[in-house]
Amino acid sequence: MNDVYVVGAGQTDYGSFPRESYRSLFKEAVDTAVDSVDAEFDRESVDEAYVGTLGVGGRQLGLPGPAVTEFAGLNGTATTRVENACAASGVALRQAVLAVRAGVADVALAGGFEVMNDVSSERTGEWLGVSGETEWERMAGTTFSGVYAQMADAHMAEHGTTREHLSRVAVKNHANGAKNPHAQLGFETTLADAMNAPAVADPLNLFDCCPTSDGASAVLVASRDAAEELTDNPIRIAGAGQSSGRVGLFQRPTLTEIPATQRAAEQAYDEADIGPEDVEFAEVHDCFSIAELLAYEDLGFCERGEGGPYVASGATEPDGERPVNLSGGLKAKGHPIGATGGGQVVEVFKQLRGEAGDRQVSGLSRGLTHNVGGSGGAVAVHVFEEGWA
Amino acid sequence: MGAYVSLPTWWRSNDSRYRLVLGKCPECGAHNFPAEGVCASCNADADFEEVEPEGTGTVQAVTVISGGAPPEFDEYQTREGAFATGIVELAEGARLPGMFCDCDPSEVSRGDRVEAVVRRLYEQEGVPRYGVKFRPVE
Ligand SMILES: [Zn+2]
């Protein structure tokens, strides 16, 4: 199997950008990724491109992939649009990895985009929640935050998770996001403010929820031979796992776990020949605060049911045993659906290369990304290691 | 645009919508809702035995939606305010999502006993859509 390396990664700021289009955002992400490559990079050397987008708002429902790759100068590159809800670009990355491993591509691009803030509030309602199970879950009046709220309710009842545990995720991720120039909500918050925010879907409040975001991301991967021409500071993709699960929460055997995360992580760990204890830091899918606690447990960072005490212990703070969401996570950095998985890779790439500025944690050599679609219908997990194999 | 359940799709599921018909797996005995696809418990691709449940169950998880309901429920939320929705496990063992009715939404809790009642859910394209909601039982 061919080894695969990340040779470049870039993203736009996440936020609300009424002057930008989905095309201009994607091109900016590609330009930034190209600029991050150590050697001169010819974008026409990209053999395969995988572009994640849900298509919020409708804009270019057919052919959104070629619509952005041609615009960004990847002339004629084989382009495939990936739709797996919020896991679109995490899954796009795995497709790029598979193409290089298969020997079909020497260089491949994975990325994504979403524009969510130029849609009228009436239409926004039509688009948010389209990744829930439609016929039953949505038609029971359930919103997307409502599904995660139900998971939080069950987790609190089964494991004693508290309001404060949930808010500690928000406080930590906002503190990290305040150091990230790309972050949409780059401000700090206090525990009291996070705990007392207005209700959205009880028990979740405003500070338990990520924002809606515009943004794009792009990651360039290469085979060993191609990577040797492009960098002396390689980041290897040591493991790439993906799994599916039932789309509706009610259809799954548990309300307090995401089985697809467990399966994707097991595959990624097996490929990397590591266990969860070997993961030094991670970017996990904290679309809602409860989702980060579930991620700790499903990825094996702590015991089942111990996600709340684990965050309260400080273990996932920047100076803890295993920093999580140094970028600010979806909570503070933002969540442009199709771009999110690629954006997670940007943070891991920067941390492993020592290029993360004010939020750099020193001495990191192995990181993980965890990207969830819907409430667990699709999950991608990747493990990244510094250096040649 | 966005999520949409067409009328023919809705009508095709009437047995599930009105009577909560379950599919009992001949391989492992688990009850599936709705009664289609492979068995969620054992993955068997077998013909389910149709079982009409008694219609009572227990709340497994609940949330109170205070704003931003799915557009189909905009009118309902405007009229009624916050509403409770959750996951109910029927006495036979299958789970399904449902809204709670005839109660104060903030009073519904995990572990509560509820029963299914047919209610008007929403109207789309001039056609009212009916289905099950759950109300508390003492
Ligand atoms: Zn079965």
Side-chain angles (χ1 to χ4, degrees):
Chain A
M1 196 161 73
N2 294 325
D3 269 322
V4 184
Y5 295 85
V6 181
V7 295
Q11 66 164 93
T12 64
D13 292 348
Y14 290 171
S16 178
F17 307 114
R19 289 173 180 278
E20 300 291 336
S21 71
Y22 71 98
R23 290 187 176 97
S24 66
L25 288 166
F26 188 79
K27 181 173 183 300
E28 182 185 335
V30 172
D31 291 348
T32 311
V34 167
D35 288 345
S36 75
V37 180
D38 294 327
E40 190 158 338
F41 184 85
D42 174 8
R43 61 187 77 198
E44 294 200 39
S45 71
V46 175
D47 300 305
E48 297 276 339
Y50 299 92
V51 178
T53 183
L54 176 61
V56 169
R59 56 205 84 242
Q60 183 66 41
L61 277 182
L63 296 171
V68 294
T69 53
E70 290 296 299
F71 186 85
L74 278 67
N75 299 329
T77 299
T79 300
T80 304
R81 178 261 187 97
V82 177
E83 199 297 289
N84 249 344
C86 319
S89 51
V91 169
L93 176 66
R94 187 159 176 279
Q95 290 301 310
V97 168
L98 298 184
V100 175
R101 283 182 180 173
V104 172
D106 295 318
V107 178
L109 179 145
F113 66 84
E114 211 70 55
V115 176
M116 304 175 70
N117 287 316
D118 71 344
V119 182
S120 70
S121 58
E122 189 184 340
R123 276 185 165 261
T124 299
E126 296 281 355
W127 282 94
L128 298 181
V130 295
S131 310
E133 196 282 332
T134 303
E135 280 188 58
W136 299 99
E137 212 164 59
R138 178 182 176 109
M139 295 321 171
T142 317
T143 57
F144 197 49
S145 48
V147 175
Y148 275 94
Q150 290 167 4
M151 296 167 98
D153 183 51
H155 203 272
M156 292 167 113
E158 284 180 27
H159 299 302
T161 303
T162 65
R163 169 72 268 162
E164 179 175 332
H165 290 148
L166 297 175
S167 293
R168 287 212 173 265
V169 173
V171 172
K172 170 180 70 70
N173 291 351
H174 271 286
N176 291 343
K179 296 178 185 167
N180 188 347
H182 291 309
Q184 180 173 3
L185 304 178
F187 53 83
E188 298 197 25
T189 185
T190 65
L191 185 60
D193 284 350
M195 288 179 70
N196 295 312
V200 171
D202 181 76
L204 300 183
N205 70 34
L206 194 59
F207 268 91
D208 293 310
C209 306
C210 68
T212 56
S213 315
D214 307 339
S217 64
V219 178
L220 294 164
V221 301
S223 63
R224 168 96 189 221
D225 286 349
E228 283 180 357
E229 302 292 314
L230 294 167
T231 185
D232 293 319
N233 193 0
I235 306 301
R236 188 169 70 99
I237 300 181
Q242 184 186 340
S243 183
S244 298
R246 296 261 177 162
V247 174
L249 176 61
F250 72 98
Q251 299 161 318
R252 302 203 285 260
T254 167
L255 306 181
T256 55
E257 304 171 26
I258 295 183
T261 293
Q262 297 164 8
R263 293 188 288 263
E266 186 180 356
Q267 184 183 11
Y269 292 154
D270 282 353
E271 285 188 4
D273 199 20
I274 63 164
E277 65 281 1
D278 302 313
V279 175
E280 296 170 357
F281 73 110
E283 289 286 305
V284 309
H285 198 91
D286 61 324
C287 49
F288 300 95
S289 54
I290 182 65
E292 180 160 327
L293 302 184
L294 298 179
Y296 296 163
E297 299 173 19
D298 291 326
L299 293 167
F301 295 170
C302 67
E303 296 295 315
R304 172 72 41 216
E306 293 298 309
Y310 191 63
V311 72
S313 76
T316 56
E317 298 281 348
D319 61 354
E321 65 176 25
R322 181 182 290 115
V324 172
N325 285 335
L326 287 165
S327 70
L330 284 60
K331 174 70 196 82
K333 189 168 87 166
H335 182 26
I337 294 174
T340 291
Q344 293 177 318
V345 178
V346 173
E347 181 68 15
V348 170
F349 180 74
K350 286 182 176 173
Q351 290 285 349
L352 288 174
R353 286 165 56 104
E355 297 169 354
D358 289 347
R359 59 189 192 288
Q360 181 68 47
V361 172
S362 62
L364 297 173
S365 63
R366 181 185 292 117
L368 174 148
T369 58
H370 164 248
N371 193 198
V372 179
S375 63
V379 175
V381 173
H382 288 86
V383 174
F384 303 83
E385 294 178 355
E386 186 190 17
W388 302 111
Chain B
M1 271 310 299
Y4 173 64
V5 178
S6 72
L7 270 173
T9 296
W10 190 269
W11 286 330
R12 188 179 61 81
S13 61
N14 272 349
D15 286 350
S16 307
R17 301 265 172 210
Y18 288 97
R19 297 189 289 124
L20 302 182
V21 168
L22 307 177
K24 185 176 181 185
C25 173
E27 301 292 329
C28 75
H31 288 85
N32 288 263
F33 181 88
E36 57 188 16
V38 298
C39 175
S41 287
C42 75
N43 216 34
D45 184 14
D47 285 339
F48 291 141
E49 176 195 341
E50 291 203 346
V51 174
E52 189 153 348
E54 178 202 349
T56 60
T58 309
V59 177
Q60 299 294 308
V62 61
T63 181
V64 177
I65 310 285
S66 5
E72 293 84 354
F73 298 90
D74 265 353
E75 183 198 332
Y76 178 80
Q77 185 158 64
T78 303
R79 192 175 68 240
E80 302 287 333
F83 61 87
T85 185
I87 294 175
V88 171
E89 186 167 299
L90 297 174
E92 292 76 9
R95 285 175 176 161
L96 73 156
M99 281 173 72
F100 300 105
C101 63
D102 303 348
C103 63
D104 176 346
S106 65
E107 302 273 286
V108 183
S109 300
R110 180 181 156 101
D112 288 357
R113 300 243 309 134
V114 293
E115 64 181 359
V117 288
V118 172
R119 288 283 192 272
R120 184 181 182 278
L121 298 184
Y122 65 95
E123 185 175 316
Q124 196 169 53
E125 295 158 337
V127 182
R129 310 265 185 120
Y130 291 88
V132 158
K133 291 188 183 181
F134 292 95
R135 73 178 173 203
V137 289
E138 292 308 313

